[in-house]
Amino acid sequence: MIVTEYELLVCLAAELNMRKSAEKLFLSQPALSQRLQTIESRWETKIFLRTQKGLLLTPEGEAIVQHAERVIERERQIQERLEAQDGIVRGTLKIACASIVAQMWLPRVLKQLIQAYPDVHISVVTGWSSEIHQALVDGSAHVGIVRGNVAWKSIQKPLFQDKLFLVDKEITRLDEVLESERPFIQFQSDSNYYQVIQDYWQRNFGKMPRQAMVMDQIETCRQMAFNGIGFAILPEVTLIGASEDIHKIPLVDKSGEILSRDTSLIGYEQSLALPQVKAFLEIVDQYLETHY
């Protein structure tokens, strides 16, 4: 792998650590140090200061690294345009995806994509909705897959609706929750997920369950519920592969409607026009037709 000076500087600025940067760049630390000295000599300024805790960017270094980031991004855009012109479906497909969708839904779609387009390379990052938005804004992702209601001014494509279920090994009816001593297992989220649930509980029961346990992520919450620690409210996509002894009770509103969550794909028009992204969207449509 040939590492350009720009890639080297951007990596160092992200890690602020010589050892970690050397590992990421597949260089030895002495080689990395020598190349940095050469770059600084060419710019005739110090880009990084070494400290006992790692590296620090100098003010001059910040300007140089910003320039390097712009050059790398511009080169990426040109490469994507060239690939789009020859009509061959290849290149890197960069997806920023809500964690639970990346765990339970996306792998099934990507499997079909790889089978149909083996020359496409896939990059996936996961996170909360705010992080996915930022990945699209700064160009580090072509498409984003988000949960719930989102404020997005460019292209937004609905994918599927996830019904919400109360999941437990003991509780068999919703009205048992308010009399039960079993903990309500929740997970952290930056969306309005729990506001939706709280509103539902107030409308239908007038109060929330007695006690709660808060997990750092939905998979931990899911495993706690599946192993009988307490009950959780989970979207349908997380129940794939659940054992038969798990009770799955839909959250039915007074109107008879089952509470659900939307999953959407978002992106910018120019990114969605890339061949590898268009191929991904076609595979998504095919998958949705056969599974929803």
Side-chain angles (χ1 to χ4, degrees):
M1 180 181 72
I2 299 175
V3 179
T4 68
E5 292 183 355
Y6 293 131
E7 290 170 328
L8 186 148
L9 292 176
V10 169
C11 183
L12 282 168
E15 297 296 335
L16 293 177
N17 182 286
M18 291 294 289
R19 180 184 59 80
K20 291 181 180 179
S21 298
E23 290 174 355
K24 280 198 168 184
L25 297 169
F26 300 99
L27 296 171
S28 67
Q29 283 188 238
L32 177 58
S33 181
Q34 181 60 50
R35 289 188 63 174
L36 177 58
Q37 289 178 22
T38 301
I39 295 169
E40 290 180 327
S41 176
R42 187 173 300 127
W43 284 94
E44 297 182 346
T45 188
K46 274 285 183 185
I47 300 175
F48 295 95
L49 297 177
R50 293 191 185 222
T51 73
Q52 291 183 340
K53 294 184 177 181
L55 300 176
L56 289 177
L57 261 175
T58 66
E60 296 80 7
E62 289 183 9
I64 293 169
V65 169
Q66 287 174 3
H67 169 67
E69 290 172 338
R70 288 194 294 268
V71 171
I72 291 172
E73 175 61 19
R74 181 59 177 159
E75 183 175 309
R76 181 190 66 79
Q77 292 174 352
I78 293 171
Q79 182 64 37
E80 287 181 345
R81 278 208 295 270
L82 292 175
E83 291 172 351
Q85 288 173 1
D86 66 18
I88 299 174
V89 181
R90 61 187 182 195
T92 300
L93 170 66
K94 294 181 288 188
I95 304 170
C97 186
S99 297
I100 193 61
V101 180
Q103 291 171 2
M104 299 293 179
W105 183 85
L106 187 60
R108 293 168 171 79
V109 177
L110 293 182
K111 179 181 179 180
Q112 295 185 13
L113 178 71
I114 292 171
Q115 290 172 344
Y117 302 101
D119 292 329
V120 172
H121 300 285
I122 298 166
S123 170
V124 178
V125 296
T126 62
W128 288 351
S129 294
S130 57
E131 296 168 327
I132 294 169
H133 283 210
Q134 188 57 46
L136 292 172
V137 170
D138 63 25
S140 59
H142 294 128
V143 296
I145 299 176
V146 294
R147 304 276 284 170
N149 297 323
V150 294
W152 184 252
K153 294 182 180 179
S154 192
I155 295 176
Q156 181 171 343
K157 172 186 174 68
L159 294 180
F160 58 88
Q161 279 194 326
D162 243 346
K163 297 174 183 176
L164 298 184
F165 290 82
L166 187 146
V167 178
D168 191 32
K169 281 202 165 188
E170 295 185 11
I171 295 172
T172 60
R173 302 191 320 274
L174 285 178
D175 56 10
E176 293 177 20
V177 171
L178 299 180
E179 304 303 323
S180 174
E181 296 295 330
R182 293 178 64 70
F184 178 21
I185 305 173
Q186 306 178 31
F187 60 91
Q188 295 177 350
S189 172
D190 71 340
S191 70
N192 66 341
Y193 183 76
Y194 271 101
Q195 186 60 53
V196 169
I197 293 172
Q198 287 175 356
D199 290 347
Y200 167 84
W201 227 263
Q202 291 295 334
R203 286 196 309 272
N204 292 273
F205 299 102
K207 59 181 180 178
M208 290 295 291
R210 294 181 182 180
Q211 55 177 321
M213 297 169 58
V214 181
M215 304 294 107
D216 62 339
Q217 51 187 302
I218 192 170
E219 180 58 22
T220 310
C221 176
R222 177 176 177 267
Q223 290 300 328
M224 287 284 190
F226 281 14
N227 285 279
I229 309 302
F231 72 90
I233 294 176
L234 297 173
E236 189 173 14
V237 70
T238 67
L239 304 182
I240 297 172
S243 61
E244 293 298 324
D245 63 341
I246 298 293
H247 302 297
K248 299 175 279 289
I249 310 163
L251 296 193
V252 181
D253 222 327
K254 288 181 177 179
S255 63
E257 184 177 354
I258 298 178
L259 208 62
S260 63
R261 293 269 289 165
D262 293 328
T263 298
S264 303
L265 183 146
I266 59 176
Y268 293 110
E269 187 172 357
Q270 59 269 33
S271 293
L272 300 188
L274 294 170
Q276 69 270 34
V277 181
K278 291 173 70 175
F280 173 66
L281 295 178
E282 291 172 3
I283 295 294
V284 167
D285 286 340
Q286 293 171 15
Y287 184 87
L288 294 176
E289 286 177 7
T290 57
H291 291 80
Y292 290 88

